[in-house]
Amino acid sequence: MSEFVIPGIRSTAASTADRVFPLERATRLKTEFARVFSQHLGNLESGARFETECILVTGQSGSGKTREIAELLKRFNASGIPLPGGRPARFAECILSGTQSWKDLGRNTIRALEYPLNDKARLTQAEIWERVVTEARLAGVVGIHYDEAQHIFRKKNEQELFAILDSFKTLMKSHDWPLILIFSGVPELEDYLLLEPQLHRLVNRIEFEDVSLPEDYDTVHEIVGSYALQAGLEVDEAILTEDFYRRLATAGAFRWGLIIKLTIGAVGAARVASAVALQVGHFIDAWVSKTQANRAATPFTHRAYETMYRKDHPFLEALRQ
């Protein structure tokens, strides 16, 4: 075995990489996605011109938006739903960054459709989006997920903002092949979409809420227990308390995605230690490994953890914020 491979960490990652814990929000997302797609498919079958809709998924960083949407789209693409003409329907995915212009947005969208656009190709805004629509239709792509969509709007002047918003509107209103859009990002994203009323009226919103205690104690308990069970670990009695679950929620800034990551990290630490049961110490190990904090000053050990670690700055002590 290589000195650079830690078997316990490797095996934990391999067994959890494609697993998504079934939170209630996943059902809401699937239901809304199915409604929008079913309407879109019916419109395609009618042969009439139509404008499609988009889904806006917002939540704090670390809430698990990307993972949930990726899992949904993986299942959708594998389902092979036939479109008029027989092609299987599928969705493309595109990650946005703050350095992109509307032209970069178009180029990256075309590449998300697996079309090899040359960087030196000189295309107007209209030509780029015409190419996107054409390639999407040929490939059976009915929609595009734009992840971290808030980034492309930040630090843009008014002209740049409206060029980007107009690009998105063009895709949804195309006469040849309207595209369903999924935007995901932090809550400020909706403020940008509000700037274009014609686009915003087509938006269907889903918010990924933070953990709320005591209502979500049972779900946090199920998360810890299910990941331990999958790893063949028992759960130490010290973990099975509301005090521990509140500490874990605080450590994860009350965001589901971060709580799950901390639990996976603790399971990895338990496997490295060849432990029989998942213990509080393994969560401390995961926290210290990530933050290099003193073991006496973690959310799992410190008496004043709720004031030391706040929701708005994950993994940072209040004194360092």
Side-chain angles (χ1 to χ4, degrees):
M1 180 64 69
S2 169
E3 62 179 307
F4 302 109
V5 176
I6 303 174
I9 302 297
R10 175 185 180 180
S11 60
T12 301
S15 64
T16 59
D18 62 350
R19 185 182 178 207
V20 178
F21 186 85
L23 294 167
E24 182 273 336
R25 67 193 190 183
T27 301
R28 286 189 284 123
L29 177 61
K30 183 186 74 171
T31 300
E32 186 59 23
F33 177 84
R35 184 194 68 77
V36 171
F37 173 69
S38 297
Q39 181 171 298
H40 186 92
L41 181 60
N43 284 328
L44 286 176
E45 290 171 344
S46 76
R49 287 185 176 180
F50 67 98
E51 60 183 23
T52 195
E53 298 181 40
C54 71
I55 299 173
L56 171 65
V57 183
T58 58
Q60 297 297 332
S61 176
S63 61
K65 303 180 296 297
T66 300
R67 189 80 178 269
E68 291 278 14
I69 296 171
E71 172 64 17
L72 174 73
L73 296 184
K74 182 175 76 171
R75 298 201 313 272
F76 176 79
N77 288 343
S79 66
I81 301 170
L83 296 171
R87 295 157 299 175
R90 69 183 185 91
F91 242 80
E93 298 186 80
C94 186
I95 300 176
L96 301 183
S97 73
T99 61
Q100 294 179 349
S101 64
W102 65 262
K103 186 168 288 189
D104 296 320
L105 172 64
R107 292 179 185 277
N108 288 339
T109 300
I110 291 176
R111 288 171 183 145
L113 300 174
E114 300 177 0
Y115 180 83
L117 182 68
N118 191 312
D119 283 333
K120 296 181 180 179
R122 294 185 177 182
L123 299 174
T124 65
Q125 183 175 4
E127 289 171 336
I128 285 179
W129 295 114
E130 182 180 353
R131 185 73 57 85
V132 167
V133 168
T134 298
E135 294 303 320
R137 184 177 67 249
L138 292 173
V141 172
V142 294
I144 301 168
H145 169 213
Y146 288 105
D147 195 19
E148 300 294 349
Q150 72 278 354
H151 290 314
I152 196 170
F153 294 111
R154 289 174 177 167
K155 298 182 180 179
K156 298 289 194 299
N157 61 40
E158 186 177 275
Q159 182 178 357
E160 292 170 324
L161 280 173
F162 280 100
I164 292 168
L165 289 166
D166 186 63
S167 296
F168 289 137
K169 185 177 67 175
T170 296
L171 291 181
M172 297 173 64
K173 289 175 167 286
S174 168
H175 290 166
D176 298 321
W177 190 256
L179 286 165
I180 302 168
L181 302 184
I182 298 178
F183 299 109
S184 59
V186 296
E188 72 178 79
L189 176 56
E190 184 167 7
D191 293 336
Y192 293 116
L193 299 184
L194 275 166
L195 295 173
E196 173 46 81
Q198 289 189 53
L199 174 61
H200 190 261
R201 70 178 174 80
L202 301 173
V203 171
N204 302 283
R205 301 158 194 76
I206 294 180
E207 181 182 359
F208 279 18
E209 298 91 353
D210 289 345
V211 175
S212 177
L213 299 180
E215 294 85 356
D216 291 326
Y217 274 135
D218 286 346
T219 305
V220 177
H221 168 78
E222 290 169 7
I223 288 171
V224 173
S226 67
Y227 279 97
L229 180 64
Q230 184 182 38
L233 297 169
E234 298 175 10
V235 179
D236 188 80
E237 287 187 3
I239 285 178
L240 305 176
T241 67
E242 290 186 356
D243 176 70
F244 174 79
Y245 296 142
R246 181 169 288 279
R247 289 175 180 273
L248 176 56
T250 301
F254 289 81
R255 304 175 192 182
W256 290 111
L258 296 184
I259 289 171
I260 290 170
K261 284 185 177 181
L262 282 169
T263 301
I264 292 171
V267 167
R271 281 183 159 178
V272 169
S274 300
V276 174
L278 183 63
Q279 301 174 349
V280 175
H282 299 132
F283 284 88
I284 297 172
D285 291 340
W287 181 271
V288 171
S289 175
K290 184 172 184 61
T291 66
Q292 298 301 299
N294 187 299
R295 293 183 70 85
T298 77
F300 306 103
T301 51
H302 200 280
R303 185 174 58 183
Y305 70 95
E306 289 184 288
T307 55
M308 178 173 283
Y309 295 100
R310 301 203 306 263
K311 294 173 63 174
D312 49 345
H313 290 286
F315 307 116
L316 284 178
E317 297 174 20
L319 293 177
R320 295 172 54 194
Q321 295 170 17

